[in-house]
Structures are given as structure tokens and as C-alpha cells.
Amino acid sequence: MLGVNPLAEREINDFYATEPKAMEIALPYLQEIGLNKNVWECACGMGHLSEVLKDSGYTVKSTDLIDRGYGQGGVDFLKQELAWNGDILTNPPFKLAEKFVAHGMKLIKNGNKVIFFLKIQFLESKARKAMFQKYPLRNLIVYSERQKCAKNAEFEKYTATTQCYAWFVFEKGYEGVPQIMWI
């Protein structure tokens, strides 16, 4: 079964977990661009990304709107007001990704990053063009091999995917053109 099928019924809270392998193979690239040692995974789901980061020596704050038994549940990222001293990294609900970018950029200091695992199609759309002009990408880290996201973290059920994913890296204060990296 495919991991993400555009014709399938969507999970109500857009919970499509990222296979930990995707974080493991991206981590050297994220380290190369200066991933902060303090990371907030603000849509942590069941902790698949958080655990890889913790195992690699990062201090990780893990929260999610829904309590899935990992991190602190009941935390609506879009309603958070306290500044974050570090980077924000997650696979956000795709339907809220633009809002997550804008809100994350409000919460961090200059030089810190908002780093989201998203479908490559996030680059498209007239509406997003204005967002990319306001918050220019610093890096786009594209996988050369398809990575799995699985509805409700059922990785064994979803054996393949039709989606291409990338890490979208926004750095507060960055004004250059995006640098593309391939994994």
C-alpha cells in the first residue's frame, strides 16, 4: 500500500508520521548548515524525529496538539507566544504548514531556523509565493530517494510512496537565494 494516496481519506489531524530513517540520513546535512543543539519538535506525533535527534545529542522539546503518548500533548503550536531559543524542526500538518512557517519565524531569534519536512509540492502555489518572498528559504534539502510517511505511523502497512519530500530550511534574517542540497 502506498504511504500517501491523494485519493485516500485524510487522517483527521493530518498525522502522517515520518519514518526515523528520513531524519537519520538528513541529520549530517542539517548539521552542516548549523542545526542548533536546542530543537523544538512542535508536532512530534509519536516521537520518531525527536528520538533520532535525542540519540544524536540534541536537547529536544517535544510537543503536539494531540497526545499520542510522546512528549507533551495538548500544546497548540500556533497559540504559543514565548520566544524559542533554538531551532524549530518537525513534519507539520501539511494543511497548516504555511501557518507553522509564519508562526515559527515569529518565535525564533535572528540566525535561528524553522526546518520542516514537507512534500516538494510545497514550493508551488500563488499563495505561497508571497510567503517565500517574506521568508526566503535558506536551504532546500531534497531526497534523491523517496522517504516514507505513514498515516497514523503505520509504517509496516505503507510500503511505498508516490511523494517526494524535502527539508525546507528558513533562517530568520536570511536574505539570500536558496541553496539546494541533495541527499
Side-chain angles (χ1 to χ4, degrees):
M1 182 179 281
L2 294 176
V4 176
N5 177 350
L7 302 177
E9 184 178 324
R10 298 287 298 170
E11 199 279 335
I12 191 166
N13 293 298
D14 233 6
F15 177 50
Y16 293 85
T18 310
E19 190 171 40
K21 176 184 141 190
M23 179 85 262
E24 291 167 3
I25 61 178
L27 197 51
Y29 298 86
L30 295 170
Q31 290 168 333
E32 182 180 327
I33 63 168
L35 180 63
N36 193 292
K37 282 295 188 181
N38 290 324
V39 177
W40 180 5
E41 196 196 350
C42 58
C44 70
M46 299 168 84
H48 297 97
L49 301 178
S50 290
E51 282 299 307
V52 173
L53 290 167
K54 285 180 181 179
D55 289 347
S56 299
Y58 290 84
T59 301
V60 183
K61 174 182 176 178
S62 303
T63 64
D64 202 307
L65 178 63
I66 308 300
D67 185 352
R68 300 184 197 284
Y70 186 90
Q72 182 183 357
V75 177
D76 185 340
F77 174 68
L78 298 175
K79 292 183 179 175
Q80 300 307 298
E81 297 296 329
L82 294 176
W84 174 249
N85 185 19
D87 291 344
I88 298 171
L89 178 150
T90 200
N91 173 357
F94 192 76
K95 64 186 177 186
L96 299 174
E98 290 171 63
K99 290 179 180 180
F100 267 59
V101 169
H103 194 68
M105 293 298 279
K106 289 179 189 174
L107 297 177
I108 61 173
K109 298 176 184 178
N110 273 358
N112 287 98
K113 299 168 196 66
V114 170
I115 305 168
F116 290 156
F117 182 83
L118 295 162
K119 294 183 274 189
I120 198 78
Q121 291 100 318
F122 190 71
L123 288 170
E124 306 177 311
S125 98
K126 290 179 185 179
R128 286 193 203 110
K129 181 179 179 185
M131 183 206 69
F132 284 115
Q133 288 172 327
K134 184 173 183 178
Y135 308 114
L137 275 174
R138 178 178 183 244
N139 297 90
L140 182 67
I141 305 171
V142 183
Y143 289 91
S144 58
E145 185 178 343
R146 300 266 164 103
Q147 299 301 305
K148 275 199 293 185
C149 281
K151 184 177 180 179
N152 297 314
E154 297 176 303
F155 297 112
E156 66 287 342
K157 183 176 177 181
Y158 299 98
T159 57
T161 183
T162 60
Q163 301 295 325
C164 174
Y165 291 97
W167 288 98
F168 288 70
V169 181
F170 301 88
E171 182 178 299
K172 191 165 189 171
Y174 183 74
E175 295 179 359
V177 295
Q179 298 174 11
I180 300 174
M181 303 166 83
W182 283 271
I183 298 176

